[in-house]
Amino acid sequence: MSNIVTSVLTVCDRLDYLDSQIAAIENQSVKSDIFIHWNNPAPYTLKYPAFVYHNTEKHLSLYSRFYSSINNRTPYTFILDDDMLPGTDYLRKAIEFSKQLDDTVLIGGLGMNLREGQSKYDVTSRVGAHYDIFPFKPVKVDTVGQSYFMHLDVLSKYTHTPPLHEYGEDVHLAFCMYSNEIPIYVLDIDKKDTSTYPDTTYGKRGTDIKAQ
């Protein structure tokens, strides 16, 4: 039986977690195709397909991983930043929740709410294990970051809208969701069960604030 998810691993300037990230996807309870999105030429040959983006502008590279993912052959896409190691049951939970909402939802690894009416990226609250906030039920938020799970139909909304390069790709993704009335959620996390974590490195390293 073919896999129904493609996991897109992002490699920009660091390789610290790549091997561990590949292992985390390979060990998921729901099996996934794996695709590597490189910002610059890969330093060594991998056993998985790769897309190499030659550009020194990091924002453009992060945008391009969404555009290239529209070619995925699976109904679901899971795009990860280069330091996210999801728990073994995360993909299963994401698929189940997406189906509950008729596959019309964006699911993220961590969530943020923004100040209404502000033209800049002004965060008023955050949710997720990185912030030591473990929601007991899925939480609707304004935007998500660090990982992005969605059905291909949802991803297509991203490619139909010209990018807002003055903002990050996460804000542009949120804009596309709002424009199409698609809700954005962070899943519930059982603090005692790391298999549900969007990132199992919680508590073992600092949050990359620059990536937010």
Short mmCIF file of all heavy atoms in Angstrom, two decimals, residues 82-135:
data_model
loop_
_atom_site.label_atom_id
_atom_site.label_comp_id
_atom_site.label_asym_id
_atom_site.label_seq_id
_atom_site.Cartn_x
_atom_site.Cartn_y
_atom_site.Cartn_z
N ASP A 82 14.39 22.48 10.21
CA ASP A 82 15.50 21.54 10.30
C ASP A 82 15.83 21.06 11.71
O ASP A 82 16.75 20.27 11.90
CB ASP A 82 16.76 22.13 9.66
CG ASP A 82 17.20 23.44 10.32
OD1 ASP A 82 16.55 23.87 11.30
OD2 ASP A 82 18.18 24.04 9.86
N ASP A 83 15.08 21.53 12.72
CA ASP A 83 15.37 21.11 14.09
C ASP A 83 14.18 20.44 14.77
O ASP A 83 14.14 20.34 15.99
CB ASP A 83 15.85 22.30 14.93
CG ASP A 83 14.87 23.46 14.90
OD1 ASP A 83 13.86 23.36 14.17
OD2 ASP A 83 15.10 24.46 15.60
N MET A 84 13.21 19.98 14.00
CA MET A 84 12.01 19.37 14.56
C MET A 84 12.09 17.85 14.47
O MET A 84 12.29 17.29 13.39
CB MET A 84 10.77 19.86 13.83
CG MET A 84 10.50 21.34 13.97
SD MET A 84 10.03 21.83 15.64
CE MET A 84 8.31 21.34 15.68
N LEU A 85 11.92 17.17 15.61
CA LEU A 85 11.92 15.71 15.66
C LEU A 85 10.58 15.25 16.23
O LEU A 85 10.43 15.12 17.45
CB LEU A 85 13.07 15.20 16.54
CG LEU A 85 14.48 15.69 16.20
CD1 LEU A 85 15.50 15.08 17.16
CD2 LEU A 85 14.85 15.35 14.76
N PRO A 86 9.59 14.99 15.39
CA PRO A 86 8.26 14.65 15.89
C PRO A 86 8.20 13.30 16.58
O PRO A 86 8.95 12.37 16.24
CB PRO A 86 7.42 14.64 14.60
CG PRO A 86 8.39 14.34 13.52
CD PRO A 86 9.67 15.01 13.93
N GLY A 87 7.31 13.19 17.58
CA GLY A 87 7.08 11.92 18.26
C GLY A 87 6.50 10.89 17.30
O GLY A 87 5.93 11.23 16.26
N THR A 88 6.60 9.63 17.65
CA THR A 88 6.27 8.54 16.73
C THR A 88 4.81 8.49 16.32
O THR A 88 4.46 7.87 15.31
CB THR A 88 6.65 7.19 17.36
OG1 THR A 88 5.98 7.06 18.63
CG2 THR A 88 8.15 7.09 17.58
N ASP A 89 3.92 9.13 17.07
CA ASP A 89 2.49 9.07 16.77
C ASP A 89 1.95 10.40 16.24
O ASP A 89 0.74 10.54 16.06
CB ASP A 89 1.72 8.67 18.03
CG ASP A 89 0.59 7.70 17.73
OD1 ASP A 89 0.64 7.03 16.69
OD2 ASP A 89 -0.34 7.61 18.55
N TYR A 90 2.84 11.34 15.98
CA TYR A 90 2.38 12.67 15.60
C TYR A 90 1.65 12.68 14.26
O TYR A 90 0.58 13.29 14.12
CB TYR A 90 3.53 13.67 15.58
CG TYR A 90 3.07 15.09 15.30
CD1 TYR A 90 2.49 15.85 16.31
CD2 TYR A 90 3.18 15.65 14.03
CE1 TYR A 90 2.03 17.14 16.05
CE2 TYR A 90 2.73 16.94 13.77
CZ TYR A 90 2.16 17.67 14.78
OH TYR A 90 1.71 18.95 14.54
N LEU A 91 2.19 12.01 13.27
CA LEU A 91 1.56 12.01 11.96
C LEU A 91 0.18 11.36 12.00
O LEU A 91 -0.76 11.84 11.35
CB LEU A 91 2.44 11.29 10.94
CG LEU A 91 3.56 12.12 10.30
CD1 LEU A 91 4.35 11.28 9.31
CD2 LEU A 91 3.00 13.36 9.60
N ARG A 92 0.04 10.29 12.76
CA ARG A 92 -1.27 9.63 12.87
C ARG A 92 -2.30 10.60 13.44
O ARG A 92 -3.42 10.71 12.93
CB ARG A 92 -1.18 8.38 13.74
CG ARG A 92 -2.52 7.65 13.89
CD ARG A 92 -2.47 6.59 14.96
NE ARG A 92 -2.22 7.15 16.28
CZ ARG A 92 -3.15 7.74 17.02
NH1 ARG A 92 -4.39 7.87 16.57
NH2 ARG A 92 -2.86 8.22 18.22
N LYS A 93 -1.93 11.32 14.51
CA LYS A 93 -2.84 12.28 15.12
C LYS A 93 -3.19 13.40 14.14
O LYS A 93 -4.35 13.82 14.07
CB LYS A 93 -2.21 12.88 16.39
CG LYS A 93 -2.20 11.96 17.58
CD LYS A 93 -1.41 12.56 18.74
CE LYS A 93 -1.98 13.88 19.20
NZ LYS A 93 -3.30 13.77 19.84
N ALA A 94 -2.21 13.86 13.39
CA ALA A 94 -2.46 14.95 12.44
C ALA A 94 -3.43 14.50 11.34
O ALA A 94 -4.35 15.25 10.97
CB ALA A 94 -1.14 15.42 11.83
N ILE A 95 -3.25 13.31 10.83
CA ILE A 95 -4.14 12.80 9.79
C ILE A 95 -5.56 12.66 10.33
O ILE A 95 -6.53 13.08 9.68
CB ILE A 95 -3.63 11.45 9.26
CG1 ILE A 95 -2.32 11.63 8.50
CG2 ILE A 95 -4.68 10.79 8.36
CD1 ILE A 95 -1.63 10.33 8.16
N GLU A 96 -5.69 12.10 11.51
CA GLU A 96 -7.02 11.90 12.09
C GLU A 96 -7.73 13.23 12.32
O GLU A 96 -8.93 13.36 12.03
CB GLU A 96 -6.90 11.13 13.40
CG GLU A 96 -6.52 9.67 13.21
CD GLU A 96 -6.43 8.91 14.53
OE1 GLU A 96 -6.54 9.56 15.60
OE2 GLU A 96 -6.24 7.68 14.48
N PHE A 97 -7.00 14.22 12.83
CA PHE A 97 -7.63 15.53 13.08
C PHE A 97 -7.99 16.21 11.76
O PHE A 97 -9.05 16.84 11.64
CB PHE A 97 -6.72 16.41 13.91
CG PHE A 97 -7.35 17.72 14.30
CD1 PHE A 97 -8.40 17.77 15.21
CD2 PHE A 97 -6.91 18.92 13.75
CE1 PHE A 97 -9.00 18.97 15.56
CE2 PHE A 97 -7.50 20.12 14.09
CZ PHE A 97 -8.55 20.15 15.00
N SER A 98 -7.12 16.11 10.78
CA SER A 98 -7.41 16.71 9.48
C SER A 98 -8.69 16.11 8.89
O SER A 98 -9.54 16.83 8.37
CB SER A 98 -6.23 16.49 8.52
OG SER A 98 -6.48 17.08 7.27
N LYS A 99 -8.84 14.81 9.00
CA LYS A 99 -10.03 14.16 8.46
C LYS A 99 -11.29 14.62 9.20
O LYS A 99 -12.37 14.72 8.60
CB LYS A 99 -9.88 12.65 8.54
CG LYS A 99 -8.89 12.07 7.52
CD LYS A 99 -8.80 10.56 7.62
CE LYS A 99 -7.89 10.01 6.54
NZ LYS A 99 -7.77 8.53 6.62
N GLN A 100 -11.16 14.90 10.50
CA GLN A 100 -12.31 15.39 11.27
C GLN A 100 -12.84 16.70 10.71
O GLN A 100 -14.03 17.01 10.82
CB GLN A 100 -11.93 15.57 12.74
CG GLN A 100 -11.71 14.28 13.51
CD GLN A 100 -11.26 14.54 14.93
OE1 GLN A 100 -11.54 15.58 15.51
NE2 GLN A 100 -10.54 13.59 15.50
N LEU A 101 -11.93 17.49 10.13
CA LEU A 101 -12.30 18.79 9.57
C LEU A 101 -12.35 18.73 8.04
O LEU A 101 -12.11 19.75 7.36
CB LEU A 101 -11.33 19.87 10.04
CG LEU A 101 -11.32 20.13 11.55
CD1 LEU A 101 -10.37 21.26 11.90
CD2 LEU A 101 -12.71 20.45 12.07
N ASP A 102 -12.64 17.55 7.52
CA ASP A 102 -12.78 17.35 6.08
C ASP A 102 -11.53 17.75 5.31
O ASP A 102 -11.62 18.25 4.18
CB ASP A 102 -14.00 18.12 5.54
CG ASP A 102 -15.31 17.62 6.15
OD1 ASP A 102 -15.44 16.40 6.37
OD2 ASP A 102 -16.19 18.47 6.43
N ASP A 103 -10.37 17.56 5.94
CA ASP A 103 -9.08 17.86 5.32
C ASP A 103 -8.96 19.32 4.89
O ASP A 103 -8.25 19.65 3.94
CB ASP A 103 -8.82 16.93 4.12
CG ASP A 103 -8.53 15.51 4.55
OD1 ASP A 103 -7.89 15.33 5.61
OD2 ASP A 103 -8.92 14.57 3.83
N THR A 104 -9.68 20.18 5.60
CA THR A 104 -9.60 21.62 5.32
C THR A 104 -9.08 22.32 6.57
O THR A 104 -9.81 23.02 7.28
CB THR A 104 -10.98 22.16 4.91
OG1 THR A 104 -11.51 21.36 3.85
CG2 THR A 104 -10.88 23.60 4.43
N VAL A 105 -7.80 22.13 6.85
CA VAL A 105 -7.18 22.68 8.05
C VAL A 105 -5.66 22.68 7.87
O VAL A 105 -5.11 21.84 7.15
CB VAL A 105 -7.56 21.83 9.30
CG1 VAL A 105 -7.06 20.40 9.16
CG2 VAL A 105 -7.05 22.47 10.58
N LEU A 106 -5.00 23.65 8.49
CA LEU A 106 -3.55 23.68 8.59
C LEU A 106 -3.18 23.36 10.03
O LEU A 106 -3.72 23.97 10.96
CB LEU A 106 -3.01 25.06 8.21
CG LEU A 106 -1.54 25.34 8.53
CD1 LEU A 106 -0.63 24.42 7.71
CD2 LEU A 106 -1.20 26.81 8.25
N ILE A 107 -2.26 22.41 10.23
CA ILE A 107 -1.84 21.99 11.57
C ILE A 107 -0.37 22.31 11.74
O ILE A 107 0.46 21.97 10.88
CB ILE A 107 -2.08 20.48 11.76
CG1 ILE A 107 -3.56 20.15 11.60
CG2 ILE A 107 -1.57 20.02 13.12
CD1 ILE A 107 -3.86 18.67 11.51
N GLY A 108 -0.03 22.98 12.84
CA GLY A 108 1.36 23.37 13.06
C GLY A 108 1.96 22.81 14.32
O GLY A 108 1.26 22.35 15.22
N GLY A 109 3.29 22.84 14.40
CA GLY A 109 4.00 22.33 15.56
C GLY A 109 3.90 23.23 16.77
O GLY A 109 3.89 22.77 17.91
N LEU A 110 3.86 24.53 16.54
CA LEU A 110 3.62 25.50 17.61
C LEU A 110 2.77 26.62 17.05
O LEU A 110 2.74 26.85 15.85
CB LEU A 110 4.93 26.03 18.21
CG LEU A 110 5.97 26.66 17.28
CD1 LEU A 110 5.65 28.12 17.02
CD2 LEU A 110 7.35 26.53 17.89
N GLY A 111 2.02 27.28 17.94
CA GLY A 111 1.08 28.28 17.47
C GLY A 111 1.30 29.64 18.10
O GLY A 111 1.85 29.75 19.21
N MET A 112 0.86 30.66 17.39
CA MET A 112 0.97 32.02 17.87
C MET A 112 -0.29 32.80 17.51
O MET A 112 -0.89 32.55 16.47
CB MET A 112 2.20 32.71 17.25
CG MET A 112 3.53 32.16 17.74
SD MET A 112 4.86 32.37 16.53
CE MET A 112 4.48 31.06 15.37
N ASN A 113 -0.65 33.71 18.38
CA ASN A 113 -1.73 34.64 18.09
C ASN A 113 -1.12 36.03 17.92
O ASN A 113 -0.19 36.40 18.65
CB ASN A 113 -2.77 34.64 19.22
CG ASN A 113 -3.54 33.34 19.25
OD1 ASN A 113 -4.11 32.92 18.26
ND2 ASN A 113 -3.56 32.68 20.41
N LEU A 114 -1.64 36.77 16.96
CA LEU A 114 -1.07 38.07 16.60
C LEU A 114 -2.00 39.20 17.00
O LEU A 114 -3.21 39.01 17.08
CB LEU A 114 -0.80 38.13 15.09
CG LEU A 114 0.04 36.98 14.52
CD1 LEU A 114 0.18 37.15 13.01
CD2 LEU A 114 1.40 36.91 15.19
N ARG A 115 -1.42 40.35 17.25
CA ARG A 115 -2.22 41.51 17.64
C ARG A 115 -3.06 41.98 16.45
O ARG A 115 -2.54 42.21 15.36
CB ARG A 115 -1.32 42.64 18.13
CG ARG A 115 -2.08 43.78 18.83
CD ARG A 115 -1.11 44.79 19.41
NE ARG A 115 -0.14 44.18 20.30
CZ ARG A 115 -0.37 43.83 21.55
NH1 ARG A 115 -1.57 44.02 22.06
NH2 ARG A 115 0.58 43.29 22.29
N GLU A 116 -4.34 42.10 16.67
CA GLU A 116 -5.26 42.44 15.60
C GLU A 116 -5.00 43.85 15.07
O GLU A 116 -4.74 44.78 15.84
CB GLU A 116 -6.71 42.35 16.09
CG GLU A 116 -7.75 42.57 15.00
CD GLU A 116 -9.17 42.36 15.52
OE1 GLU A 116 -9.32 41.98 16.70
OE2 GLU A 116 -10.10 42.58 14.74
N GLY A 117 -5.01 43.98 13.75
CA GLY A 117 -4.87 45.28 13.12
C GLY A 117 -3.44 45.75 12.95
O GLY A 117 -3.21 46.82 12.41
N GLN A 118 -2.46 44.94 13.38
CA GLN A 118 -1.06 45.34 13.24
C GLN A 118 -0.51 44.86 11.91
O GLN A 118 -0.78 43.74 11.47
CB GLN A 118 -0.22 44.76 14.37
CG GLN A 118 -0.55 45.32 15.75
CD GLN A 118 -0.21 46.79 15.86
OE1 GLN A 118 0.87 47.21 15.46
NE2 GLN A 118 -1.12 47.58 16.38
N SER A 119 0.25 45.68 11.23
CA SER A 119 0.85 45.30 9.97
C SER A 119 2.17 44.55 10.18
O SER A 119 2.70 43.94 9.27
CB SER A 119 1.12 46.53 9.10
OG SER A 119 2.00 47.42 9.78
N LYS A 120 2.69 44.58 11.40
CA LYS A 120 3.93 43.88 11.68
C LYS A 120 3.64 42.58 12.43
O LYS A 120 2.53 42.32 12.87
CB LYS A 120 4.87 44.76 12.51
CG LYS A 120 4.31 45.17 13.86
CD LYS A 120 5.29 46.06 14.60
CE LYS A 120 4.76 46.46 15.98
NZ LYS A 120 5.70 47.30 16.71
N TYR A 121 4.68 41.77 12.56
CA TYR A 121 4.57 40.46 13.21
C TYR A 121 4.59 40.68 14.72
O TYR A 121 5.63 40.68 15.35
CB TYR A 121 5.74 39.60 12.75
CG TYR A 121 5.61 38.13 13.04
CD1 TYR A 121 4.57 37.38 12.50
CD2 TYR A 121 6.55 37.47 13.84
CE1 TYR A 121 4.47 36.03 12.73
CE2 TYR A 121 6.46 36.12 14.07
CZ TYR A 121 5.41 35.40 13.51
OH TYR A 121 5.32 34.04 13.76
N ASP A 122 3.42 40.87 15.32
CA ASP A 122 3.31 41.23 16.73
C ASP A 122 2.58 40.11 17.48
O ASP A 122 1.36 40.01 17.44
CB ASP A 122 2.54 42.55 16.84
CG ASP A 122 2.61 43.14 18.24
OD1 ASP A 122 3.20 42.48 19.13
OD2 ASP A 122 2.07 44.24 18.45
N VAL A 123 3.35 39.25 18.14
CA VAL A 123 2.80 38.07 18.81
C VAL A 123 2.27 38.45 20.19
O VAL A 123 2.96 39.10 20.98
CB VAL A 123 3.88 36.98 18.95
CG1 VAL A 123 3.33 35.78 19.70
CG2 VAL A 123 4.39 36.56 17.58
N THR A 124 1.04 38.03 20.48
CA THR A 124 0.43 38.31 21.78
C THR A 124 0.42 37.08 22.69
O THR A 124 0.41 37.22 23.91
CB THR A 124 -1.01 38.81 21.61
OG1 THR A 124 -1.79 37.82 20.93
CG2 THR A 124 -1.04 40.10 20.81
N SER A 125 0.40 35.88 22.11
CA SER A 125 0.42 34.65 22.92
C SER A 125 0.93 33.50 22.07
O SER A 125 0.86 33.54 20.83
CB SER A 125 -0.97 34.34 23.47
OG SER A 125 -1.89 34.08 22.42
N ARG A 126 1.43 32.46 22.75
CA ARG A 126 2.00 31.31 22.07
C ARG A 126 1.47 30.04 22.72
O ARG A 126 1.09 30.04 23.89
CB ARG A 126 3.54 31.33 22.15
CG ARG A 126 4.19 32.62 21.67
CD ARG A 126 5.69 32.58 21.92
NE ARG A 126 6.33 33.87 21.70
CZ ARG A 126 6.89 34.26 20.55
NH1 ARG A 126 6.86 33.43 19.53
NH2 ARG A 126 7.45 35.44 20.43
N VAL A 127 1.50 28.93 21.96
CA VAL A 127 1.08 27.65 22.49
C VAL A 127 1.95 26.55 21.88
O VAL A 127 2.31 26.62 20.70
CB VAL A 127 -0.42 27.38 22.22
CG1 VAL A 127 -0.70 27.37 20.72
CG2 VAL A 127 -0.87 26.09 22.85
N GLY A 128 2.32 25.58 22.70
CA GLY A 128 3.15 24.48 22.22
C GLY A 128 4.18 24.08 23.25
O GLY A 128 4.47 24.82 24.20
N ALA A 129 4.76 22.90 23.06
CA ALA A 129 5.72 22.37 24.02
C ALA A 129 6.95 23.27 24.18
O ALA A 129 7.51 23.37 25.27
CB ALA A 129 6.15 20.96 23.60
N HIS A 130 7.36 23.95 23.11
CA HIS A 130 8.52 24.85 23.20
C HIS A 130 8.31 25.93 24.25
O HIS A 130 9.26 26.44 24.84
CB HIS A 130 8.77 25.52 21.85
CG HIS A 130 9.62 24.72 20.92
ND1 HIS A 130 10.86 24.26 21.25
CD2 HIS A 130 9.38 24.27 19.66
CE1 HIS A 130 11.37 23.59 20.24
NE2 HIS A 130 10.48 23.57 19.27
N TYR A 131 7.07 26.30 24.47
CA TYR A 131 6.75 27.36 25.42
C TYR A 131 6.21 26.79 26.73
O TYR A 131 5.68 27.54 27.56
CB TYR A 131 5.71 28.31 24.80
CG TYR A 131 6.12 28.79 23.43
CD1 TYR A 131 5.34 28.48 22.32
CD2 TYR A 131 7.29 29.53 23.24
CE1 TYR A 131 5.72 28.90 21.05
CE2 TYR A 131 7.66 29.95 21.98
CZ TYR A 131 6.88 29.64 20.89
OH TYR A 131 7.26 30.04 19.64
N ASP A 132 6.37 25.47 26.89
CA ASP A 132 5.89 24.79 28.10
C ASP A 132 4.38 24.96 28.28
O ASP A 132 3.87 25.03 29.39
CB ASP A 132 6.63 25.30 29.34
CG ASP A 132 6.60 24.29 30.48
OD1 ASP A 132 6.50 23.08 30.18
OD2 ASP A 132 6.67 24.69 31.65
N ILE A 133 3.67 25.02 27.16
CA ILE A 133 2.21 25.10 27.16
C ILE A 133 1.68 23.90 26.40
O ILE A 133 1.84 23.79 25.18
CB ILE A 133 1.71 26.40 26.51
CG1 ILE A 133 2.25 27.62 27.29
CG2 ILE A 133 0.19 26.44 26.47
CD1 ILE A 133 1.93 28.95 26.65
N PHE A 134 1.07 22.95 27.12
CA PHE A 134 0.61 21.70 26.54
C PHE A 134 -0.91 21.69 26.46
O PHE A 134 -1.58 21.40 27.46
CB PHE A 134 1.11 20.52 27.39
CG PHE A 134 2.60 20.36 27.39
CD1 PHE A 134 3.41 21.15 28.19
CD2 PHE A 134 3.21 19.41 26.58
CE1 PHE A 134 4.79 21.01 28.19
CE2 PHE A 134 4.59 19.26 26.56
CZ PHE A 134 5.38 20.06 27.38
N PRO A 135 -1.49 22.00 25.33
CA PRO A 135 -2.95 22.05 25.23
C PRO A 135 -3.58 20.67 25.39
O PRO A 135 -3.07 19.69 24.82
CB PRO A 135 -3.18 22.61 23.83
CG PRO A 135 -1.95 22.27 23.07
CD PRO A 135 -0.83 22.33 24.05
#
